[in-house]
Amino acid sequence: MHTTTLTRGVIRLIAVLVAALTLGSSVAAVPDSFGLKSQQEDPYEKRILQQIEKMVLTAKQVAPFREQMRGYFKMRNGATRRISRQGGDVDVRVRRDLNRCARQAVKAMSKVLTPGQLAHYQKLVEIGNEQYMMNAGLL
């Protein structure tokens, strides 16, 4: 019985990792100015995965973690669209918006993770925001 529970937990964790990679690399998959998708490996993916692995999620945390991650990526990935409609200094305003998104994401995730895990999540969000800025050409 314990082995089955452990197997389910590992399968769920793999699903979280795949979801995080898919959502995390969504900006990198946009076409370049020639209409071609970039085939480069995203250097941030490995760092994001390391932070997820360091969290060591329990089986109860997997589903809420996945939901909160989706919320973070949805909020983060809309930053440029929100800012570009308003005009101004886009890179500064996007960075400011990403910082706001990060604070909200960490606050929301604090209901799911322990303080030790939350430190890794906070680092993950920082890496994710840097990834977004780089992929959007704002770094």
Side-chain angles (χ1 to χ4, degrees):
M1 175 115 175
H2 179 68
T3 306
T4 305
T5 305
L6 181 62
T7 303
R8 286 183 189 156
V10 170
I11 291 171
R12 286 182 183 150
L13 181 58
I14 291 170
V16 168
L17 294 174
V18 169
L21 280 175
T22 302
L23 292 170
S25 62
S26 61
V27 175
V30 297
D32 62 13
S33 59
F34 299 106
L36 304 172
K37 293 193 182 222
S38 175
Q39 299 299 319
Q40 297 179 26
E41 185 176 315
D42 188 346
Y44 295 97
E45 285 182 20
K46 183 176 179 181
R47 293 173 54 203
I48 288 172
L49 275 176
Q50 287 172 342
Q51 292 305 314
I52 291 173
E53 289 172 2
K54 289 178 182 179
M55 283 183 230
V56 189
L57 298 173
T58 65
K60 288 183 177 182
Q61 291 175 316
V62 173
F65 177 81
R66 186 181 309 139
E67 184 179 323
Q68 292 296 334
M69 283 291 290
R70 281 188 192 122
Y72 159 68
F73 283 121
K74 183 177 179 182
M75 189 173 19
R76 181 196 79 170
N77 291 347
T80 303
R81 178 184 41 79
R82 285 190 300 273
I83 300 301
S84 63
R85 285 188 271 163
Q86 300 167 359
D89 194 2
V90 175
D91 59 335
V92 171
R93 295 188 70 204
V94 168
R95 185 179 311 276
R96 196 175 301 146
D97 192 52
L98 291 177
N99 287 336
R100 179 191 57 80
C101 292
R103 284 190 305 275
Q104 288 179 356
V106 170
K107 182 177 179 182
M109 193 62 83
S110 68
K111 298 171 186 164
V112 176
L113 301 177
T114 66
Q117 292 171 317
L118 197 59
H120 294 295
Y121 179 73
Q122 191 166 9
K123 182 68 176 167
L124 180 148
V125 169
E126 289 172 15
I127 295 166
N129 285 350
E130 185 180 325
Q131 173 192 41
Y132 181 85
M133 292 290 289
M134 180 65 76
N135 290 339
L138 299 173
L139 272 185

